[in-house]
Amino acid sequence: MVLIPLTRHLRRLMPLFLILLAAGCASSEKLLEKAIESEESGDYVRAARYYVSVLEKESDWEDARQGLMRVGTIAVDNMLDKANEQEERGEFDEAITTLDELDDLRFDALAVGVTLSVPEDYDSYRERLSEAAIVSLMRRAER
């Protein structure tokens, strides 16, 4: 007898559930549109973030997965280039911040099942930059 009232309540909630489900899909579609717009404008990091957001909501959306793989690779390359340029200018702490952002993106992509690769020597590169940043900060503190 308890099941009958519960079933009636579920039937009453079904339209609300369908509305929320449709709203979630619309939200994912908006995020996908923003990802594509960001990609087309050349903002690959932002596009990758939007693709991650889509996949967090709709994990089986293959277009978003392919988009994240495509722009994620470009974003990683661009962030590595940016960190290299910052290193060349002696901006070691900024370079580390860039690599932190890169690692955050890689972590978020991995959480939705997409691996964004870095060069084999990435860990040693990051360690070398960290050491240079520490030395730079110590020299500034001595002044």
Side-chain angles (χ1 to χ4, degrees), residues 61-80:
W61 201 329
E62 193 56 32
D63 287 345
R65 185 168 309 287
Q66 292 297 320
L68 177 55
M69 288 190 281
R70 181 179 56 251
V71 301
T73 300
I74 297 169
V76 166
D77 289 344
N78 288 351
M79 293 171 100
L80 287 170

Side-chain angles (χ1 to χ4, degrees), residues 100-113:
D100 288 342
E101 292 169 5
L102 185 154
D103 289 341
D104 288 345
L105 177 61
R106 291 180 65 222
F107 179 81
D108 292 343
L110 189 58
V112 295

Side-chain angles (χ1 to χ4, degrees), residues 2 4 6 39 52 61 63 82 84-85 95 114 119 125 127 129 137:
V2 174
I4 294 171
L6 182 60
E39 182 177 358
V52 166
W61 201 329
D63 287 345
K82 181 179 178 182
N84 283 327
E85 291 167 6
V114 175
Y125 170 68
E127 185 176 329
L129 270 182
L137 289 172

Side-chain angles (χ1 to χ4, degrees), residues 1-138:
M1 287 196 182
V2 174
L3 294 177
I4 294 171
L6 182 60
T7 303
R8 286 182 190 153
H9 290 297
L10 288 176
R11 272 192 249 149
R12 287 181 189 154
L13 292 175
M14 187 58 76
L16 178 60
F17 173 75
L18 292 174
I19 289 170
L20 291 174
L21 182 64
C25 290
S27 173
S28 296
E29 288 176 11
K30 287 259 187 225
L31 290 170
L32 185 65
E33 287 174 20
K34 289 181 178 187
I36 292 167
E37 288 171 9
S38 296
E39 182 177 358
E40 288 174 350
S41 71
D43 191 344
Y44 300 110
V45 174
R46 177 172 285 168
R49 292 263 174 232
Y50 279 125
Y51 282 124
V52 166
S53 295
V54 171
L55 290 168
E56 287 173 339
K57 293 174 178 278
E58 306 277 340
S59 62
D60 60 343
W61 201 329
E62 193 56 32
D63 287 345
R65 185 168 309 287
Q66 292 297 320
L68 177 55
M69 288 190 281
R70 181 179 56 251
V71 301
T73 300
I74 297 169
V76 166
D77 289 344
N78 288 351
M79 293 171 100
L80 287 170
D81 289 345
K82 181 179 178 182
N84 283 327
E85 291 167 6
Q86 290 166 324
E87 177 189 18
E88 288 172 7
R89 292 192 301 265
E91 300 168 350
F92 302 109
D93 47 341
E94 289 88 350
I96 292 299
T97 299
T98 298
L99 295 183
D100 288 342
E101 292 169 5
L102 185 154
D103 289 341
D104 288 345
L105 177 61
R106 291 180 65 222
F107 179 81
D108 292 343
L110 189 58
V112 295
V114 175
T115 300
L116 299 178
S117 299
V118 292
E120 273 185 37
D121 65 343
Y122 176 75
D123 290 336
S124 61
Y125 170 68
R126 185 177 175 80
E127 185 176 329
R128 184 174 50 78
L129 270 182
S130 295
E131 290 170 2
I134 291 169
V135 169
S136 175
L137 289 172
M138 290 174 66

